[in-house]
Structures are given as structure tokens and as C-alpha cells.
Amino acid sequence: MSNKTLGDSDYGIFCNFLEKQCGIVLGDSKQYLVKSRLSPLMARFKIESITDLVNKTMQQSERQLRAAVIDAMTTNETLWFRDTYPYELLKNRLLPEIDKGKPLKIWSAASSSGQEPYSIAMTIQEYKNQPSVNSRSMFSIVGTDISNTMLDICKNGEYDALALSRGLSTERKAQFFKDSGNGMMQINPDIKRMVNFRHLNLLDNYHLLGKFDVIFCRNVLIYFSAEIKSQIINKFAEQLNPNGYLILGASESMSGLSDAFNMIRCSPGIIYQKK
């Protein structure tokens, strides 16, 4: 089976396709990334080369292939409690502020394989378990992703040793997981019940999701153009309750993209509050 490198012309066509379908901007000379992500699809779809696969993806009739390509290109590795500080801020600052005995909703806007929304759920449980906290609020988390493959992993809530080693402490693993008996560990039912997973393309409409008190969208906007970033951030603002919070990735900035938020420096970290 040929493994020919993707030419500049076909690469440009594929980049335009990917940006139109899901907003991701690959940039120049990322043929190696396309090749590494899409090569496993060649055998599955019985296609001889990366060039042929990309060209076939452009055909409207190839819906299954197009879905598989988008799935492969949008799958990202993630960590439990990534960067630590957003979860500390959630536990020690945001939850005490917004916990008023009413239903509270948090959105993980790119849930990948589930580490972020489940980390949020564990943080909420740790917050509620504090002796000083007497919470009567009902907490719910919505995790969305464009990848159906990732959503299946999220909904299953079962992870191998390698996945569990990435950011999860021994104490949390013991508290929130049980051995499945097959080399995997299953997240506890009380944590799993807190999270509802749904398919969503961030280029689409969010209105059916309802309103939220906190939105996590971390390490996602870096893949989009400034125009798409601005659109997404302003749509987030529409979905937040008054004075709700948006938490971006450590390297992401809202500068010049939206005037719907006030920036709050937290040391460490920055969060954004809806005006």
C-alpha cells in the first residue's frame, strides 16, 4: 500500500475542507500531521494512498469517510486536572460564590475522552465533601465534542493505566475509580451520573444546550482562526447566565476577540466573567 506524501495542492484543498467543516486551521507544512492521523483509515476504507484518501474525502457522497476523517483530525490527547489551577479556582472561588441552593450547570465544551468533565465532577464532589460546605444545589455537567469516537469513550467512563497515569493522583484514583477486572478502571457511578455527553460542532448553534453558570473551553481555541474564535466566544457569552464564568486554556487569550467579558486575574490563572 502506497504511503505517498500529500502534495501542496491537495494539502491546501484539505486544509480548506477542514476549516469549513469544523473551524480547525492547520497552517502551513503540516502534511506529516495529516498523514499520521489519516493513515489508519487507509486500510479501513481500502484506499491506496493518503492523496487518494483526501481526494475521496472531498466527495459529498462519501459521508462515512468524511465523518471518519473529521473524527481522526479532531481527536486530541488530554489530561486529568490539566494545569491544576482551573479546578482549584472552581473549588475554592467559583463554587462557593455561585452555590445558592439552585440548579447549577457547567459545560465542558470540548470533552475529548472525558478527562475534563470528569475532573470537574470530581472537583464538585470534593467541594461538597468539605465539612464547612452544606450544599443543597443540584449540579450537572454537559460534555460536548465533535468526535463520536471520543464521546463513546466518555460515556463508557473506563480507562487504562496509561490514561489514568496522566494527571490523576493515587488518592483520586482510589476514591473515584473501581477496578474493572480487565486491566481497566471504571469511574464511580455517582461521578458518572453528574455528566451528560452530547455531540456538538462548535461552529453550530448552542441554544439547545440551555444556559450555564461556568463554561470550560480549554486548549481548543488555539486551533481556530481569529474570526472563528470571536464567533465562538460571543456565542459562549449568550449561553452564560448573568455574571457566569468562562475558563480558557493557559496559553489562550480573549484579547481583541470579544467585549462581552471582564478579565479577572487570579494568580495563578485568568478567568473571564460575563458582563
Side-chain angles (χ1 to χ4, degrees), residues 20-46:
K20 183 178 179 181
Q21 293 295 316
C22 50
I24 289 178
V25 179
L26 282 181
D28 297 333
S29 304
K30 295 288 180 67
Q31 284 94 331
Y32 69 92
L33 177 63
V34 175
K35 181 178 176 180
S36 66
R37 291 291 181 93
L38 299 189
S39 289
L41 299 181
M42 290 164 57
R44 176 177 161 190
F45 288 92
K46 298 181 174 59

Side-chain angles (χ1 to χ4, degrees), residues 4-16:
K4 188 173 69 174
T5 303
L6 195 61
D8 289 343
S9 175
D10 290 323
Y11 175 71
I13 291 169
F14 182 73
C15 287
N16 291 333

Side-chain angles (χ1 to χ4, degrees), residues 113-137:
S113 46
Q115 281 85 339
E116 181 176 272
Y118 284 137
S119 293
I120 294 169
M122 287 184 257
T123 299
I124 291 171
Q125 193 63 54
E126 290 173 350
Y127 160 76
K128 292 170 68 176
N129 287 345
Q130 294 175 110
S132 59
V133 173
N134 182 23
S135 177
R136 298 184 306 277
S137 299

Side-chain angles (χ1 to χ4, degrees), residues 7-164:
D8 289 343
S9 175
D10 290 323
Y11 175 71
I13 291 169
F14 182 73
C15 287
N16 291 333
F17 161 80
L18 196 64
E19 183 172 3
K20 183 178 179 181
Q21 293 295 316
C22 50
I24 289 178
V25 179
L26 282 181
D28 297 333
S29 304
K30 295 288 180 67
Q31 284 94 331
Y32 69 92
L33 177 63
V34 175
K35 181 178 176 180
S36 66
R37 291 291 181 93
L38 299 189
S39 289
L41 299 181
M42 290 164 57
R44 176 177 161 190
F45 288 92
K46 298 181 174 59
I47 298 173
E48 291 296 319
S49 71
I50 290 292
T51 299
D52 290 344
L53 189 148
V54 165
N55 289 334
K56 201 167 185 181
T57 301
M58 299 303 114
Q59 299 173 21
Q60 291 287 347
S61 59
E62 294 289 342
R63 291 183 181 179
Q64 188 178 2
L65 175 61
R66 288 163 75 93
V69 165
I70 291 170
D71 199 270
M73 292 304 302
T74 55
T75 297
N76 295 296
E77 289 191 5
T78 187
L79 308 172
W80 302 94
F81 296 91
R82 185 170 184 174
D83 297 325
T84 306
Y85 74 84
Y87 303 96
E88 293 298 316
L89 286 172
L90 181 65
K91 177 181 173 181
N92 299 321
R93 176 171 179 162
L94 302 190
L95 291 179
E97 177 186 318
I98 65 179
D99 183 5
K100 306 296 183 185
K102 60 182 179 62
L104 293 172
K105 283 183 67 179
I106 298 176
W107 178 14
S108 171
S111 56
S112 189
S113 46
Q115 281 85 339
E116 181 176 272
Y118 284 137
S119 293
I120 294 169
M122 287 184 257
T123 299
I124 291 171
Q125 193 63 54
E126 290 173 350
Y127 160 76
K128 292 170 68 176
N129 287 345
Q130 294 175 110
S132 59
V133 173
N134 182 23
S135 177
R136 298 184 306 277
S137 299
M138 291 291 294
F139 294 90
S140 62
I141 301 159
V142 176
T144 64
D145 203 89
I146 193 173
S147 168
N148 285 316
T149 300
M150 291 294 101
L151 288 170
D152 287 342
I153 295 172
C154 292
K155 292 172 184 176
N156 195 32
E158 196 174 40
Y159 300 91
D160 62 19
L162 180 60
L164 291 170

